[in-house]
Amino acid sequence: MAGVQRRVTEFCDRFGLRLPILEAPMAGACPPELAIAVAESGGMGADGVVLDPPDRIAAWVERFRAGSTGPFQLNIWIPDPPVEAPDRLRAAEEYLGGWGEPGEAGAAAPVFAEQCEAMLEAAPTVISSIMGVFDADYVERMHARGIAWFACATTLSDALAAQEAGADAIVAQGMEAGGHRGTFDPAAAEHTNVGLLALLPHLVDRLRVPVVASGGIGDGRGVAAALALGASAVQVGTALLRSPEAGIHEDWASALADLPPERSVPTRAYSGRLGRAVPTPFVTAWARPEAPLPALYPDQRRLVGRFRRGAAAGVDPVNQWAGQGAALARRAPAATIVQDMWDTARGLLA
């Protein structure tokens, strides 16, 4: 296992880690307290900022740095090209009406270019992307400030595109991962059902840059397996959601307990983009034969937000994302979870 040790050590030294575990940047479920706990344990904290305007990005970073000098990443979605689908939007809105009345429209979405500038200003260890690649100018500006770029990919073609665009590492996202699938083509997400066990060596053998493994990793056994398959580090999300630092909605936290791998489901019900979630009554209703297709992203996300702000009791109050390793998530401090993962992995790799 000398090769594993060398690979992990090089990655950790490069990005200021004491152990090769990264917090997944989960939008809406990455309070600074969770990122601080992971970073102080020797890993990398994270925040998903896709819905955050610049002032909220700055406030999160300020709170993080008040609690840790460790490494952290800020993650954002690359915007999809705008597509008009009024009939699909209207059908989804009518279907949501079966749960009750909508509320206010809500604030306008943040401006992508302004979010990108705010991330540069914050100067995190890593800026990471999902759903595509940054343009060449932004990558150059990132690197000029000493910021690394990690790009999420679910296929070799997407990974190669990111590598050629200047990515410093690829986050290989298996289909087991909770939350949104990082496929560059939104329409192809249902057809990229590649598990991490197959995806990881496929990417490692063909890329020049380090690969971070993500998807279904819930304990030290998963960490050890990913590193043995060629990853330089792992990224975990669902495994941390039941920690007190995550502070997620109690219904969501309880639903993760003992959730079998086959019970988490891919759905577009929450946002219009495919993501893996708990099979709540709301989620499963969108899979019924009589249900319409959810609206495209971001229309579906906005619609669901409106009904949450209204009088629609059957609409899930939060997106209950869940990876296939959800049953391994423990109610324990995040620092304990991260350290136990690494201790177990080291023992298996010794």
Side-chain angles (χ1 to χ4, degrees):
M1 288 298 174
V4 173
Q5 183 175 356
R6 181 175 61 255
R7 189 185 335 114
V8 169
T9 298
E10 288 176 355
F11 186 90
C12 287
D13 288 348
R14 181 176 177 184
F15 298 108
L17 307 169
R18 297 196 305 276
L19 50 84
I21 298 176
L22 285 60
E23 175 193 0
M26 304 169 286
C30 284
E33 292 77 15
L34 178 57
I36 289 167
V38 174
E40 289 299 289
S41 300
M44 182 181 290
D47 188 26
V49 305
V50 62
L51 301 178
D52 293 346
D55 60 341
R56 201 152 66 204
I57 294 172
W60 187 97
V61 171
E62 182 178 5
R63 287 173 59 193
F64 174 85
R65 286 189 165 133
S68 177
T69 58
F72 70 99
Q73 66 166 308
L74 298 176
N75 172 272
I76 198 164
W77 290 21
I78 305 300
D80 294 334
V83 177
E84 298 292 331
D87 292 343
R88 190 162 164 175
L89 173 61
R90 184 163 46 252
E93 186 171 12
E94 290 175 358
Y95 193 62
L96 278 163
W99 278 279
E101 295 296 322
E104 297 296 322
V111 177
F112 177 70
E114 294 176 357
Q115 293 173 299
C116 288
E117 292 303 314
M119 291 191 295
L120 282 180
E121 182 66 26
T125 313
V126 169
I127 292 176
S128 60
S129 61
I130 188 168
M131 318 298 191
V133 299
F134 291 117
D135 63 42
D137 176 69
Y138 191 69
V139 175
E140 183 178 347
R141 294 173 66 203
M142 260 195 287
H143 287 159
R145 295 186 180 218
I147 303 168
W149 170 30
F150 287 10
C152 179
T154 61
T155 66
L156 176 61
S157 60
D158 287 353
L160 287 170
Q163 177 179 264
E164 293 311 306
D168 298 283
I170 298 297
V171 178
Q173 186 194 43
M175 53 83 69
E176 306 94 334
H180 288 99
R181 187 160 298 168
T183 311
F184 287 13
D185 178 0
E190 280 86 355
H191 309 295
T192 55
N193 297 320
V194 184
L196 187 63
L197 197 67
L199 179 65
L200 191 52
H202 187 58
L203 266 57
V204 167
D205 290 348
R206 292 162 176 83
L207 296 174
R208 302 186 304 271
V209 298
V211 177
V212 177
S214 178
I217 299 172
D219 62 13
R221 294 171 296 178
V223 175
L227 297 180
L229 284 170
S232 296
V234 302
Q235 184 167 276
V236 297
T238 306
L240 296 169
L241 286 178
R242 298 185 71 208
S243 68
E245 294 91 346
I248 63 172
H249 194 284
E250 182 53 38
D251 289 350
W252 182 10
S254 297
L256 296 175
D258 301 319
L259 182 70
E262 70 275 13
R263 288 283 291 151
S264 67
V265 294
T267 182
R268 293 180 182 263
Y270 287 135
S271 72
R273 265 282 196 167
L274 192 69
R276 184 171 291 281
V278 173
T280 68
F282 176 75
V283 166
T284 55
W286 286 90
R288 293 173 184 160
E290 69 274 16
L293 290 171
L296 298 176
Y297 182 87
D299 292 336
Q300 182 75 5
R301 177 182 63 76
R302 292 169 182 157
L303 279 177
V304 172
R306 280 190 62 199
F307 279 85
R308 283 173 174 163
R309 289 187 291 273
V315 176
D316 292 339
V318 296
N319 300 348
Q320 296 191 29
W321 302 121
Q324 287 189 331
L328 296 171
R330 296 187 290 147
R331 285 195 184 273
T336 300
I337 294 169
V338 170
Q339 191 61 56
D340 286 353
M341 278 186 173
W342 183 230
D343 288 345
T344 300
R346 282 192 301 176
L348 292 170
L349 293 169

